[in-house]
Amino acid sequence: MDISQLQLDSDGKLRHFLSIDGLNRQILTDILDRADSFLDITHRINKTVDLLQGRTVINLFFEASTRTRTTFELAEKRLSADIINLNIATSATNKGESLLDTIRNLQAMQCDMFVIRHGMSGASQFIAQHVAPHVAVVNGGDGWHAHPSQAMLDMYTIRHHKKNFEPLRVAIVGDVMHSRVARSQIHALNMLGVHEVRVIGPKTLMPTDIEKMGVTVFHKIEQGLKDVDVVIMLRLQNERMQGAFIPNQAEFYHTYGLTAERFTLAAPDAIVMHPGPINRGVEIESTVADSKHSVILEQVNLGIAVRMAILAMTIRTSGEASR
Ligand code: CP
């Protein structure tokens, strides 16, 4: 099934949240606006609302995660959902049970939503095609393919600081090839109408035909950073590299690392972003990561409100489906 048909119901509302590709500007804007309404709640002493009371969310993380897993769990708690964090290491998937059989068994326990991170591209889409009509699937990152909730919290952070997307020049720097975050960000930035999306990195870490995604490619960081409003640094995804894509990390830092000196090429009020985890001295200099221009930890914080919005918008639609 087409990813748009899978993600949106007949009224154009979110059914599953799997990929930015296949959504539209209105849905993205709705998520950002809904996050605004939740941001106030996250600043209160009592941070909970009962929107998901009585609903069960199962977090299935087949890959390591600190930020996505924790902020989804916080978002679920703040919406008063019942939460299960399946411990994959001690689950029956280690006894040869297939992914689909695991899902069918968990679904038999009457859950309403799965938040899934998986190393295989397309895993969340595959699961969404097989769940019951009342169950929603949220992608917490799948292989090289997509990390849509990260892209949305990044868009929210950009809007928080820059207000309008239209005039912005945004540079995404580093290992674009292996980055599901970069793919989702590029779709979201273009859908929201930014002036220019630049990708900067060595040819070996740049996907073939990346220009077709609506980006300008730079292989020299000094050229790519010139006058940009937002710099998004990426981690070297060593766990996804099979073979040598760069001579070594020191050489990568020498050629593509965001140093304080290079950052002066960006617009004077530019912000620095990074999905995390950051590797200091590999893709970013500590003084830049910790500078007043850095919004890296703010991204994490704002991610809670954005994930509350995604959960609320997805589960409501699914809850209206057959029960
Ligand atoms: N940005 C991100 O996905 O971080 P985690 O791997 O820690 O979830």
Side-chain angles (χ1 to χ4, degrees):
M1 189 190 282
D2 173 75
I3 190 110
S4 309
Q5 288 175 305
L6 196 57
Q7 292 194 98
L8 300 175
D9 65 17
S10 52
D11 296 333
K13 291 182 180 162
L14 269 182
R15 164 80 183 86
H16 301 288
F17 185 71
L18 307 171
S19 166
I20 301 295
D21 188 24
L23 298 180
N24 55 57
R25 188 174 185 157
Q26 188 57 55
I27 290 275
L28 302 199
T29 306
D30 288 349
I31 292 171
L32 300 180
D33 292 345
R34 194 75 189 266
D36 270 341
S37 73
F38 287 127
L39 193 60
D40 292 340
I41 294 168
T42 67
H43 291 140
R44 292 191 325 214
I45 291 178
N46 177 357
K47 296 181 173 56
T48 55
V49 289
D50 61 5
L51 223 59
L52 298 196
Q53 197 159 43
R55 303 298 192 96
T56 305
V57 182
I58 300 188
N59 298 313
L60 280 170
F61 278 65
F62 292 88
E63 262 191 354
S65 169
T66 298
R67 282 144 288 267
T68 310
R69 183 177 176 151
T70 312
T71 52
F72 261 119
E73 192 174 337
L74 275 169
E76 292 153 10
K77 283 183 195 291
R78 287 177 186 179
L79 293 170
S80 306
D82 295 327
I83 305 164
I84 303 290
N85 291 306
L86 192 74
N87 187 344
I88 302 298
T90 57
S91 76
T93 53
N94 288 335
K95 297 181 190 166
E97 186 172 66
S98 74
L99 179 59
L100 211 48
D101 280 328
T102 300
I103 294 292
R104 285 183 181 129
N105 278 270
L106 294 171
Q107 195 171 263
M109 301 172 202
Q110 295 185 306
C111 69
D112 297 285
M113 177 180 277
F114 292 111
V115 178
I116 299 169
R117 169 168 290 192
H118 202 285
M120 294 287 290
S121 296
S124 298
Q125 187 171 343
F126 173 71
I127 292 166
Q129 282 167 330
H130 290 90
V131 290
H134 69 275
V135 175
V137 177
V138 171
N139 183 3
D142 64 325
W144 300 17
H145 171 234
H147 195 349
S149 66
Q150 176 69 45
M152 288 315 297
L153 74 87
D154 295 335
M155 298 308 112
Y156 192 62
T157 307
I158 292 172
R159 191 172 86 165
H160 195 75
H161 282 273
K162 300 292 178 187
K163 310 301 174 212
N164 295 314
F165 288 102
E166 284 79 5
L168 299 180
R169 289 188 168 86
V170 181
I172 302 173
V173 188
D175 181 5
V176 179
M177 164 96 93
H178 300 98
S179 177
R180 57 192 174 207
V181 173
R183 284 178 180 76
S184 294
Q185 287 168 336
I186 292 168
H187 283 304
L189 288 164
N190 281 325
M191 225 171 254
L192 289 166
V194 299
H195 180 70
E196 186 183 14
V197 184
R198 302 177 182 180
V199 290
I200 306 171
K203 284 189 179 136
T204 50
L205 293 178
M206 210 51 84
T208 318
D209 290 341
I210 183 84
E211 295 88 349
K212 288 184 181 160
M213 289 187 75
V215 298
T216 317
V217 179
F218 291 85
H219 297 300
K220 289 199 185 314
I221 189 168
E222 290 79 6
Q223 290 173 359
L225 287 181
K226 194 148 177 25
D227 299 328
V228 294
D229 305 287
V230 179
V231 184
I232 302 176
M233 298 306 296
L234 301 173
R235 182 176 67 86
L236 285 174
Q237 315 269 310
N238 292 310
E239 71 278 16
R240 297 194 192 120
M241 292 186 197
Q242 287 169 344
F245 286 81
I246 51 166
N248 54 57
Q249 290 191 347
E251 177 63 21
F252 180 81
Y253 182 68
H254 178 69
T255 321
Y256 289 103
L258 186 64
T259 59
E261 189 184 349
R262 284 182 175 142
F263 186 61
T264 61
L265 297 165
D269 60 348
I271 55 172
V272 179
M273 301 174 63
H274 193 308
I278 65 171
N279 286 309
R280 296 168 186 264
V282 178
E283 69 267 2
I284 190 165
E285 188 179 331
S286 266
T287 50
V288 181
D290 301 330
S291 73
K292 66 177 178 24
H293 293 273
S294 170
V295 297
I296 295 170
L297 294 179
E298 208 178 328
Q299 287 171 260
V300 179
N301 179 263
L302 295 175
I304 301 169
V306 172
R307 288 180 167 130
M308 287 171 81
I310 292 165
L311 293 166
M313 287 171 65
T314 312
I315 206 157
R316 189 204 60 218
T317 310
S318 68
E320 287 160 5
S322 71
R323 269 268 185 192

